[in-house]
Amino acid sequence: PISQVIERGLQRAASQSLLLANSMKNHPDQLPQTYEHGELKTVRYDNWVSGFFPGVLWMLYDYTNDEQYRRLAHHFTEIVEPAKKLYNTHDIGFMLYCSFGQGYNLTAKQYYLDVIYEGTQNLLCRWNEDLGVFRSWDFGKQWQYPVIIDNMMNLEILCFMSRQYDDPYYKEVAEIHAKNTLKHHFRDDFSSYHVVSYDTITGLPHAKNTAQGYSDNSAWARGQSWGLYGFTMIYRETRNPIFLEQARNIATFLMNHPRLPADKVPYWDYDAPGTGNGNCRRDASAAA
């Protein structure tokens, strides 16, 4: 039964997360990124994945009600705290909502909310009222104002802020960004470009590229999933039916894709070489 599959998976996640947390004792100011080829890889607070492990620990505390997970979650969340000062990244939602947001949702500690508040004000510095989108990156000479599909994931913290402070502005700008992403990021088959750069004079896209996919016109697997999650989430927050329709269209594209493996774990790019013979890397995060 699926309930047993889920339970077994959660128990495995709980035990493995404790092992990972204990392996960080010699890295007091670092966070785990991954473990591969027999080596632990770590990052600082300013890496875009810094909030993920604290978020996992908060969720496991919610699942187990075991105080050791709460203590560990708080410890690793604290390491992310300096990210509230960053203004050069759109990934504040990943960093702070996954960590401090989960902590606040489970403990209602004002300190966690205060950190999120400060970080979100810096995120708003990346909002362009004329273009109606948040800037993703500050690099790349070929782009005037690059916006990546990943940004859809970082709108959730804004919706959270509107709820907490009874201030519609945060959610309003998130909805505008989502509408412009819907308009400019997607092809006729509802696959998405990775990077869309806006001309700062005309307000229209001047380039549509990829930075992580196989090619500019390919369907980078993780990017497709960013879109699916993002439009499902923004529909939940706004109840605007255009977002639900977009999420369904993205899901239809993915679930009916002729190169989606039977186990539903996609290749890293749906159009990458080797997908036809199975000789291609998979992306478990896109599957999740």
Side-chain angles (χ1 to χ4, degrees), residues 209-240:
N209 306 121
T210 192
Q212 292 172 276
Y214 171 64
S215 71
D216 288 345
N217 291 303
S218 69
W220 174 50
R222 200 185 329 154
Q224 313 311 302
S225 295
W226 293 146
L228 176 56
Y229 181 98
F231 282 102
T232 304
M233 178 279 300
I234 202 69
Y235 169 71
R236 183 192 71 211
E237 299 292 342
T238 66
R239 293 297 169 180
N240 187 329

Side-chain angles (χ1 to χ4, degrees), residues 91-236:
D91 284 320
I92 290 297
F94 279 141
M95 297 172 179
L96 296 185
Y97 189 63
C98 291
S99 54
F100 284 88
Q102 294 296 337
Y104 179 76
N105 288 333
L106 291 173
T107 69
K109 288 181 65 172
Q110 183 65 37
Y111 162 67
Y112 292 150
L113 186 58
D114 291 343
V115 171
I116 296 170
Y117 179 87
E118 183 173 347
T120 307
Q121 305 318 302
N122 287 329
L123 176 61
L124 288 174
C125 293
R126 306 189 68 76
W127 170 250
N128 186 306
E129 193 75 38
D130 295 328
L131 300 180
V133 285
F134 284 88
R135 186 184 183 103
S136 297
W137 297 329
D138 295 334
F139 58 84
K141 293 182 179 179
Q142 71 272 39
W143 300 313
Q144 291 185 37
Y145 199 94
V147 178
I148 58 178
I149 190 64
D150 317 34
N151 252 25
M152 288 299 301
M153 302 289 288
N154 287 293
L155 302 180
E156 192 163 7
I157 194 172
L158 296 165
C159 298
F160 167 83
M161 288 290 290
S162 277
R163 288 197 307 274
Q164 293 303 317
Y165 289 95
D166 195 25
D167 183 344
Y169 177 73
Y170 300 97
K171 187 162 69 174
E172 286 171 359
V173 296
E175 185 168 7
I176 293 169
H177 180 99
K179 285 179 178 178
N180 283 315
T181 300
L182 189 157
K183 183 178 181 181
H184 296 300
H185 252 87
F186 288 84
R187 308 180 184 99
D188 290 342
D189 62 0
F190 299 102
S191 65
S192 68
Y193 294 96
H194 180 205
V195 188
V196 172
S197 180
Y198 289 79
D199 185 307
T200 55
I201 304 300
T202 67
L204 298 174
H206 74 90
K208 296 186 177 184
N209 306 121
T210 192
Q212 292 172 276
Y214 171 64
S215 71
D216 288 345
N217 291 303
S218 69
W220 174 50
R222 200 185 329 154
Q224 313 311 302
S225 295
W226 293 146
L228 176 56
Y229 181 98
F231 282 102
T232 304
M233 178 279 300
I234 202 69
Y235 169 71
R236 183 192 71 211

Side-chain angles (χ1 to χ4, degrees), residues 73-88:
H74 176 74
H75 167 73
F76 285 102
T77 294
E78 281 285 89
I79 298 175
V80 185
E81 189 263 352
K84 70 182 182 181
K85 300 289 187 184
L86 298 174
Y87 58 87
N88 61 344

